[in-house]
């Protein structure tokens, strides 16, 4: 059955349809109240006059569909399929900033707590989102200091020989070493952490106070003092904790600027009546978007269908999310706005207002978001260099760093088929490459081609010295390579006790960034992203430095072997010649008289004969 025959026999029920190309790839996903009516509209002559629709239909050769009970289910299924399949003709959500959450890994033997920007169905519990972004890091730091739950990458499914530094500075209970804590004490700490993250501070305070009284009655005064300090901390910081609330004045406000097929969108997060954070989205080349889902595409193509765009964007942003603000303000209307608002209301259990303000304070907020989108557009697409701090802040968001990145150390390995393997370390600090801190390493313990072992050796050597000299670790360790090199570096850092050190790698060719601990979710940045340009610049400098050092080692090897091949020239004579003439090339071009001034006549004649086929000149 060909495509047109399939379309003619489609059911008239609600559902989702998927267009496929000759390779079987899904190239467009859409939803409809009436599948047959909606999909048949693509075959109309008027549809073919639309360049965007025509392009889709020329490429599509097959169609699949999934029936659902109602339009709400169609919306949710469409959103899931777009995220899974990433069809080329759909609008896909891309940005350099995501919501920060606190993740508690309750599925583990000894749960840990992390800051993350990716939600997974992995048995963990996620709390948030948090505004501003660094609040999540402050909360996790408070959990380390108060409840002693770690964030390290150490495997806690087995015991280790010794704890890391975090245990000794009283920021971890030490579940990695047998006997340092008990399962009961750890479960108590996890329960306290849960109550704190869930905002049950009154219940938490009462529980801690009861334990403090019991410890004091049994004359465990040190334990009682710890509970007293914890109780004070929980009380003092209750007002500072701003998890995104469900108050009526919480709102998300959108604005956009479109020009030359490029688009910038700004999203303002308002919490408690105040703008607490801003999120930016960019599209360099918009997909060939379809017209409104509820009507057949128009006879004439439009440059930008803002309504269709915001319909797609809001579905990807809010469907299946843990938190949705009560009010969402957008600059343009779209056909399924009411349906989406109803779906989000069902999802959250309270009414969601999805509005297009026309006047008043709300419209002023939308206009303000649009003005900021124009500024974002200029910075991204008009080659206006963003400030260094803005780049650092974005890098902090992308790599989930606890503080603004001020120093980045990057490693690279260089060799030719395992010969003369060397490594480089380059340093970026506060906006510039710091060449005085560059380091070169000759690999000592690895033979043959083994980049992973070489990376492990050089990272161990570098940070063992940092630990021995009690120096501060960098904001980020960056590896030039893929997952193998990343994991080799991670093993080296963990063996040295640096279990919480931020670590990432950038793979060549694909320019994909892997963040250690979140390898299953690699970071793919827009090719114009200033953050990607910064990481590439550091990586390229590391590669250049490694290559230059490797080339120098090769030249030294070739130089050594060439001179040592001359009869009568040993290591001492070679050194004397090179020190006098400065290079192998100068030795080769030296005349017999110059050579005789450095080495005995017979040796000079041997050297001259080796490099010159001519008859030896007669010396006076």
């Amino acid at each position: 059955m060909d495509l047109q025959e399939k379309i003619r026999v489609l059911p008239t029920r609600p559902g989702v349809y998927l267009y496929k190309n000759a390779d079987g790839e899904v190239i467009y996903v859409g939803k409809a109240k009436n599948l047959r009516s909606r999909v048949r509209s693509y075959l109309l002559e008027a549809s073919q006059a639309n360049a965007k629709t025509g392009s889709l239909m020329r490429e599509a050769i097959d169609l699949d569909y999934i029936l659902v009970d109602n339009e709400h289910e169609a919306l949710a299924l469409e959103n899931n399929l777009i995220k899974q399949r990433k069809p080329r003709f759909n609008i896909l959500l891309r940005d350099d900033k995501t919501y920060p959450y606190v993740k508690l890994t309750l599925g583990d033997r000894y749960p840990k707590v992390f800051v993350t920007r990716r939600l997974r169905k992995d048995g963990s519990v996620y709390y948030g989102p948090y505004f501003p972004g660094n609040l999540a890091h402050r909360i996790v730091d408070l959990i380390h200091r108060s409840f002693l739950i770690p964030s390290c990458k150490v495997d806690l499914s087995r015991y280790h020989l010794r704890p890391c530094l975090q245990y000794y500075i009283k920021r971890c209970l030490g579940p990695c070493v047998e006997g340092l804590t008990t399962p009961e004490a750890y479960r108590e700490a996890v329960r306290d952490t849960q109550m704190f993250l869930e905002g049950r501070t009154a219940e938490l305070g009462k529980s801690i106070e009861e334990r403090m009284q019991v410890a004091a009655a049994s004359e465990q005064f040190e334990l009682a003092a710890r509970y007293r300090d914890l109780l004070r901390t929980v009380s003092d910081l209750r007002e500072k904790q701003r998890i995104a609330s469900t108050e009526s004045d919480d709102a998300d406000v959108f604005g956009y600027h479109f020009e030359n097929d490029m688009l910038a969108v700004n999203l303002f997060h308002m919490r408690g009546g105040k703008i607490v954070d801003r999120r930016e989205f960019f599209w360099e080349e918009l997909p060939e978007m379809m017209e409104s889902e509820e009507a057949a595409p128009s006879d004439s193509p439009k440059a930008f269908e803002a309504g269709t765009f915001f319909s797609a964007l809001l579905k990807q942003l809010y469907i299946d999310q843990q938190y949705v603000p009560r009010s969402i303000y957008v600059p343009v209307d779209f056909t399924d706005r009411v349906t989406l608002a109803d779906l989000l209301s069902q999802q959250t259990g309270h009414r969601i207002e999805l509005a297009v303000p026309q006047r008043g304070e709300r419209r002023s907020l939308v206009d303000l978001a649009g003005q900021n989108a124009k500024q974002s557009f200029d910075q991204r697409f008009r080659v206006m260099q963003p400030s260094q701090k803005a780049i650092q802040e974005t890098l902090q968001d992308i790599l989930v760093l606890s503080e603004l990145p001020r120093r980045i150390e990057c490693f690279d390995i260089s060799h030719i088929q395992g010969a003369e393997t060397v490594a480089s370390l380059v340093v970026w600090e506060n906006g510039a490459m710091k060449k005085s801190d560059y380091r070169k390493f000759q690999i000592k313990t690895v033979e043959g081609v083994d980049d992973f072992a070489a990376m492990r050796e050089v990272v161990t050597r570098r940070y063992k010295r940092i630990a021995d000299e009690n120096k501060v670790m960098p904001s980020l360790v960056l590896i030039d390579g893929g997952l193998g090199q990343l994991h080799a570096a991670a093993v080296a850092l963990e063996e040295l006790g640096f279990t919480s050190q931020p670590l990432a790698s950038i793979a060549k060719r694909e320019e994909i960034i892997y963040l250690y601990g979140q390898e299953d979710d690699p970071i793919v940045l827009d090719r114009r992203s200033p953050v990607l340009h910064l990481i590439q610049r550091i990586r390229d400098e590391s590669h250049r430095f490694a290559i230059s050092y490797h080339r120098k080692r090769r030249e030294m090897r070739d130089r050594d072997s060439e001179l040592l091949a001359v009869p009568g020239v040993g290591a001492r004579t070679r050194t004397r010649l090179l020190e006098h003439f400065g290079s192998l090339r100068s030795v080769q071009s030296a005349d017999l008289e110059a050579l005789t001034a450095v080495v005995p006549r017979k040796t000079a004649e041997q050297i001259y004969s080796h490099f010159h086929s001519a008859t030896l000149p007669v010396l006076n």
Side-chain angles (χ1 to χ4, degrees):
M1 187 181 300
D2 65 19
L3 180 60
Q4 294 195 16
E5 291 176 347
K6 275 191 175 184
I7 293 175
R8 290 192 185 98
V9 297
L10 283 173
T12 57
R13 292 173 51 188
V16 173
Y17 55 94
L18 303 88
Y19 278 114
K20 295 183 177 181
N21 63 13
D23 297 325
E25 298 174 344
V26 175
I27 58 176
Y28 184 75
V29 175
K31 58 91 185 152
K33 290 181 183 177
N34 183 319
L35 277 173
R36 185 188 302 172
S37 175
R38 172 61 188 140
V39 178
R40 282 182 63 186
S41 68
Y42 290 98
L43 298 178
L44 299 177
E45 183 177 352
S47 299
Q48 302 304 313
N50 184 314
K52 292 173 284 188
T53 306
S55 178
L56 168 64
M57 296 308 294
R58 283 192 296 273
E59 194 168 329
I61 66 166
D62 197 6
L63 176 76
D64 280 346
Y65 66 90
I66 302 172
L67 296 177
V68 295
D69 289 334
N70 53 59
E71 195 175 2
H72 291 167
E73 291 184 5
L75 267 177
L77 180 58
E78 177 197 32
N79 172 66
N80 289 334
L81 290 173
I82 288 173
K83 289 181 177 179
Q84 291 172 10
R85 302 299 184 91
K86 295 181 171 53
R88 184 164 60 84
F89 284 87
N90 285 97
I91 298 168
L92 303 178
L93 178 61
R94 301 180 185 130
D95 70 327
D96 289 350
K97 186 176 185 179
T98 53
Y99 298 100
Y101 289 80
V102 173
K103 173 181 178 180
L104 185 61
T105 60
L106 290 181
D108 294 347
R109 176 189 178 192
Y110 290 106
K112 302 176 186 177
V113 63
F114 300 96
V115 175
T116 183
R117 297 179 185 273
R118 293 171 176 81
L119 304 184
R120 296 173 174 276
K121 295 180 179 179
D122 56 1
S124 300
V125 179
Y126 295 84
Y127 301 91
Y130 291 85
F131 304 97
N134 63 1
L135 177 58
H137 291 282
R138 298 203 307 268
I139 289 175
V140 168
D141 183 69
L142 172 64
I143 291 170
H144 292 335
R145 289 185 283 108
S146 302
F147 305 112
L148 311 187
I149 299 296
S151 293
C152 64
K153 307 298 191 300
V154 174
D155 180 9
L156 298 184
S157 63
R158 60 184 180 88
Y159 288 120
H160 300 261
L161 294 177
R162 58 185 177 84
C164 68
L165 177 64
Q166 297 299 309
Y167 171 78
Y168 293 109
I169 63 175
K170 301 188 184 303
R171 291 169 62 94
C172 177
L173 288 169
C176 55
V177 177
E178 188 173 10
L180 294 184
T181 188
T182 64
E184 294 76 18
Y186 202 90
R187 280 196 296 271
E188 179 184 275
V190 171
R191 282 196 301 270
D192 288 348
T193 300
Q194 282 185 276
M195 284 192 284
F196 175 72
L197 289 171
E198 290 168 5
R200 294 152 54 195
T201 49
E203 182 182 349
L204 174 59
K206 183 178 179 181
S207 173
I208 294 172
E209 187 171 4
E210 290 175 354
R211 280 177 266 162
M212 180 181 68
Q213 298 295 344
V214 170
S218 59
E219 298 185 352
Q220 294 178 286
F221 299 119
E222 186 175 340
L223 180 60
R226 180 178 173 275
Y227 284 136
R228 178 202 63 204
D229 295 340
L230 180 57
L231 183 62
R232 186 179 300 153
T233 298
V234 171
S235 177
D236 290 345
L237 294 176
R238 280 176 64 181
E239 298 303 319
K240 295 182 180 179
Q241 182 176 348
R242 278 186 57 95
I243 300 178
S245 63
T246 57
E247 299 176 4
S248 59
D249 50 3
D250 281 6
D252 281 356
V253 184
F254 289 86
Y256 76 96
H257 182 81
F258 176 81
E259 191 178 328
N260 297 328
D261 203 31
M262 297 181 290
L263 175 68
V265 173
N266 265 213
L267 164 57
F268 285 172
H269 298 296
M270 297 188 65
R271 301 296 181 260
K274 298 178 180 179
I275 298 175
V276 297
D277 204 2
R278 182 182 71 152
R279 191 175 177 186
E280 296 175 309
F281 307 86
F282 299 99
W283 283 265
E284 292 182 40
E285 299 174 359
L286 285 172
E288 298 176 74
M289 297 176 292
M290 308 305 295
E291 301 293 328
S292 168
E293 294 287 354
E294 298 303 320
S298 61
D299 293 341
S300 58
K302 298 179 180 179
F304 176 53
E305 285 292 331
T308 304
F309 169 82
F310 275 100
S311 173
L313 177 64
L314 266 59
K315 291 171 194 173
Q316 295 183 55
L317 275 174
Y318 295 115
I319 293 180
D320 295 332
Q321 293 302 309
Q322 286 190 334
Y323 173 77
V324 180
R326 286 184 180 269
S327 299
I328 302 171
Y329 304 135
V330 292
V332 293
D333 202 357
F334 49 93
T335 53
D336 52 4
R337 176 175 59 84
V338 175
T339 304
L340 179 57
D342 290 343
L343 175 63
L344 295 177
S345 298
Q346 293 178 13
Q347 173 183 307
T348 59
H350 56 78
R351 181 176 177 273
I352 298 295
E353 178 191 20
L354 180 48
V356 188
Q358 299 300 317
R359 62 185 64 86
E361 184 180 348
R362 293 180 177 183
R363 185 65 211 185
S364 297
L365 286 170
V366 172
D367 292 340
L368 179 62
Q371 293 167 17
N372 278 267
K374 173 66 164 59
Q375 181 67 21
S376 299
F377 184 98
D378 289 340
Q379 286 192 338
R380 174 61 68 95
F381 299 122
R382 299 194 195 283
V383 199
M384 291 176 60
Q385 181 63 32
S387 69
Q388 187 58 48
K389 185 178 180 182
I391 296 175
Q392 288 176 275
E393 288 174 345
T394 306
L395 180 60
Q396 178 184 2
D397 282 328
I398 292 170
L399 299 184
V400 200
L401 303 177
S402 60
E403 60 182 9
L404 206 65
R406 304 192 183 282
R407 182 180 173 97
I408 299 174
E409 297 189 354
C410 182
F411 294 88
D412 187 28
I413 304 295
S414 180
H415 61 78
I416 293 182
Q417 297 181 344
E420 298 294 339
T421 303
V422 298
S424 69
L425 163 67
V426 300
V427 177
W428 176 91
E429 188 171 282
N430 293 325
M433 304 306 299
K434 191 175 182 181
K435 294 192 175 184
S436 60
D437 285 0
Y438 285 15
R439 295 292 183 269
K440 298 177 288 190
F441 299 87
Q442 184 178 353
I443 302 303
K444 299 176 180 178
T445 63
V446 180
E447 295 183 1
V449 181
D450 193 341
D451 285 1
F452 304 156
M455 184 62 71
R456 183 173 176 177
E457 176 191 324
V458 70
V459 171
T460 299
R461 288 166 57 187
R462 168 62 178 171
Y463 296 113
K464 184 178 185 304
R465 182 167 185 175
I466 291 290
D468 292 342
E469 296 177 357
N470 199 27
K471 292 184 177 180
V472 179
M473 291 289 286
S475 306
L476 173 68
V477 175
L478 181 64
I479 304 299
D480 182 5
L483 288 174
Q485 287 91 336
L486 178 70
H487 290 151
V491 169
L493 288 169
E494 288 178 6
E495 288 178 348
L496 294 171
F498 297 115
T499 53
S500 300
Q501 170 62 40
L503 174 66
S505 70
I506 176 169
K508 295 183 178 71
R509 296 181 185 174
E510 302 93 347
E511 303 296 64
I512 294 175
I513 300 171
Y514 293 99
L515 180 62
Y516 182 61
Q518 298 183 14
E519 296 91 330
D520 293 339
D521 257 330
I523 300 167
V524 182
L525 297 178
D526 187 285
R527 62 184 178 88
R528 296 194 190 191
S529 168
V531 172
L532 178 61
H533 294 167
L534 171 62
I535 294 175
Q536 288 172 327
R537 181 159 65 93
I538 298 171
R539 186 273 313 275
D540 293 345
E541 175 67 359
S542 174
H543 186 65
R544 180 202 65 78
F545 195 51
I547 289 293
S548 64
Y549 181 45
H550 179 257
R551 186 177 296 118
K552 183 177 181 181
R553 293 285 308 172
R554 266 204 339 266
E555 290 174 353
M556 291 173 62
R557 179 197 63 188
D558 296 341
R559 179 184 67 187
D560 290 355
S561 59
E562 182 74 11
L563 280 174
L564 292 176
V566 179
V569 175
R572 291 184 179 178
T573 303
R574 175 202 61 197
T575 301
R576 195 184 318 139
L577 286 165
L578 292 175
E579 288 178 350
H580 180 81
F581 290 101
S583 68
L584 177 63
R585 179 173 298 179
S586 296
V587 174
Q588 292 173 324
S589 60
D591 57 25
L592 185 57
E593 186 174 356
L595 291 170
T596 305
V598 181
V599 298
R601 177 186 173 83
K602 185 176 181 181
T603 304
E605 290 175 350
Q606 293 281 10
I607 295 171
Y608 191 89
S609 298
H610 181 82
F611 291 119
H612 301 81
S613 57
T615 305
L616 288 172
V618 178
L619 295 178
N620 295 328

